[in-house]
Amino acid sequence: ALATADIGIAMGSGTDIAMESADMVLMKPNLMDVVKALKISQATITTIKENLFWAFIYNVAGIPIAAGVFSGIGLVLNPELAGLAMAFSSVSVLTSSLLLNFSKID
């Protein structure tokens, strides 16, 4: 039944077969950990969506400027600054993801 379920949850003290077929294994026999796991997963999905949004906005704005589309109006970006901006984008996504460690999940 656990293998055919949409979401399978097993206790760490359960059988090996149950732990292998489950999607989530609780290491402690506390059912409130299921609620914590769901909150962590919601926070993770929210962070992923925010990172994708900002990366998309950044690329929609940055790529045409770096390609010289707006050079007619004097808006240009030299390659060194474009590389620095891409590095900053990666660092900001990484920092946003690392902030999950400090979220209050109770």
Side-chain angles (χ1 to χ4, degrees):
L2 191 59
T4 60
D6 290 334
I7 297 175
I9 301 172
M11 294 285 186
S13 60
T15 63
D16 290 337
I17 294 172
M19 288 190 294
E20 283 189 32
S21 62
D23 297 314
M24 181 188 318
V25 177
L26 301 176
M27 300 309 288
K28 297 181 247 175
N30 184 3
L31 288 179
M32 290 306 294
D33 287 343
V34 174
V35 176
K36 285 183 183 179
L38 291 175
K39 287 181 181 179
I40 290 170
S41 66
Q42 287 173 347
T44 301
I45 293 296
T46 300
T47 301
I48 289 170
K49 288 179 181 178
E50 288 172 358
N51 286 344
L52 285 172
F53 172 77
W54 287 112
F56 180 74
I57 293 298
Y58 173 80
N59 284 317
V60 163
I63 289 174
I65 294 171
V69 172
F70 301 111
S71 62
I73 60 172
L75 187 59
V76 293
L77 187 63
N78 66 9
E80 293 86 10
L81 288 178
L84 186 64
M86 284 303 292
F88 177 72
S89 172
S90 298
V91 168
S92 67
V93 167
L94 179 67
T95 303
S96 173
S97 298
L98 287 174
L99 286 175
L100 277 172
N101 289 330
F102 301 107
S103 62
K104 300 289 182 187
I105 306 293
D106 291 327

